[in-house]
Amino acid sequence: MNYRLVLRQLGAVAFLVALGMLLSMPFAFEHPLKETPGERAGLFGLSCSIAVSVCVGFVLRRLGRRPSGELFQKEAIAVVVLSWFLVTFLGALPYLFSGVSREPGVKMNFADAMFESVSGFSTTGSTVLSELENPDIIPRCIVFWRSLTHFYGGIGILVLLVVLGGRNANRKSLANTEMSNIIAERPPGQIKKITGILFSIYVSLNVLLTAILLFAGVPLLDALCHAFGAIATGGFSTYNASVGHFASATDLNAPLIEWSITISCLFGATNFMLFFWCVQGKPGVLFRNEEWRTLLGIYLVVSLAVLISGLAYGDFNVQGTSDKPMIHGASIDEKAPLELSVRYAFFNTASMLTTTGYCTDEFDQWNGLSRFLLLAVLFVGGCAGSTAGSIKVVRYLVCWKMMRRGTETAYRPTLVRPIFANGTEFDRERQTKILLYFVTYVMVFAFATAIILAIEPTSKWVERNLDVGNKMDDVISCVASTMAGAGPAYGIAGPRRNFGPECDVSKFLFCGTMLLGRLEIYILLALFSPGFWMRKKG
């Protein structure tokens, strides 16, 4: 293991985190600081966090001075995983130094801050915060930092390292490890140039969505934060009601806001290499891509099923309650217009399928079929090489073709047929790896669910006036949501609730499931193998 080279790369990551904190500071000056004590606390927290991040960066760069050799597979994995540990720790500091409150009268502790930071960088979007709209509880500059962690995590902070410097061999190792799940036609050429174009596409999509939201009447801070969350498929909002807040504001163009975010979530769930080919003047690669077409097919089928079942069961009726704001003056129990029902179904399906986690309605109160479908698509996710989490469509494609071939071999024992997906042949070894990934995913999911069921006190459900009998269903949805990187779950952590009441041990376990899901399990588990750190003999 080339420790000096690894430490030097980690130092650069710490500097990038400090830069993000610096960019968050101007949002503290929206109003005079003498009138906003919360923003003064936010500036203090960011300043202290920048100082710590810069110091850590200098120490790591100093320890890694004059490195020799190149980043090989081991070193690249170590840089990727340790970078995620480093950025989530540094990213938690602004919450602690600013004295952010999880809820009125309850300051965030270390478990809360780490949960929020991991959720941001892993683009999960789960939160422990209950009063996002009160600047005295969470300053606006911290709100921006919170969403900026989505921007960093969406494209992968290691991609910034590839773009900004390092030798070409080192860039290639980092890019291949951070984006190891990209399965598309990769062009020849320097890895820095390719990654730079991908990063430019990512930034351009964020700028485009921000401009659309501004045109729809959304304030700048809200527009930026929701753009970061949509393109990175993260889901941090600036409002307690998430994107549903915009529908209750009559001065905003709610349909434009919701449809633009819906489409942006689908963009985020698309393999970015396909956008690369579009930029190169070959859009046909996008439409020929089997995985992308399958993703759209799943989205349309599930959205229509949710719409039809929702109309049949009256899920979209407008309820004038404190939990569900009145929409455009509709009265209690008034049936929602068909156009609004379509928006509910298509928006929330896109949000859950792409593991974004924004919501416009309390979908955990919908009928059983809709709730099942939304939970099921959590385990699908987007395309490989996208910002979306979960298992990815291409793995299901390969497994489906393996099942079809297995069925056919029952009556044609001598059948030999290779399996292709996205124009790539999957040999026996790659098929085995995919099956092992499914098995490992299910085992981790079951293990985490069992632990949280055991340690999470039932009194939490009683305190929140929730049905204790739904505890197992709620915990299953929480683990599924955090592993998939989706954000909201059902019940105790539903769309209009949060993970704040969970015990600290559960929050740290959820941090683990979020990182496992973001790093696709094996890369993270490799770090805990003793042989990983040993020097190769001979």
Side-chain angles (χ1 to χ4, degrees), residues 455-475:
I455 66 175
E456 197 63 40
T458 305
S459 59
K460 299 290 185 182
W461 276 256
V462 177
E463 292 170 3
R464 306 192 86 181
N465 297 318
L466 296 171
D467 187 354
V468 175
N470 290 332
K471 178 181 177 180
M472 184 174 73
D473 295 342
D474 293 353
V475 170

Side-chain angles (χ1 to χ4, degrees), residues 202 232 260 308 442 505:
Y202 180 72
S260 60
I308 293 170
V442 171
V505 177

Side-chain angles (χ1 to χ4, degrees), residues 119 132 136 138 221-222 247 259 271 323 407 409 425 451 514:
S119 180
L132 294 169
D136 291 328
I138 174 169
L221 174 63
D222 297 339
W259 283 116
N271 189 326
D323 293 329
T407 303
T409 54
E425 181 178 358
I451 293 178
M514 286 188 279

Side-chain angles (χ1 to χ4, degrees), residues 11 59 66 151 153 165 188 195 229 241 272 276 304 363 431 439 469 516:
V59 169
R66 292 191 296 274
F151 179 86
T195 311
F272 271 64
F276 174 91
L304 288 173
F363 50 74
Q431 293 172 34
V439 172
L516 280 168

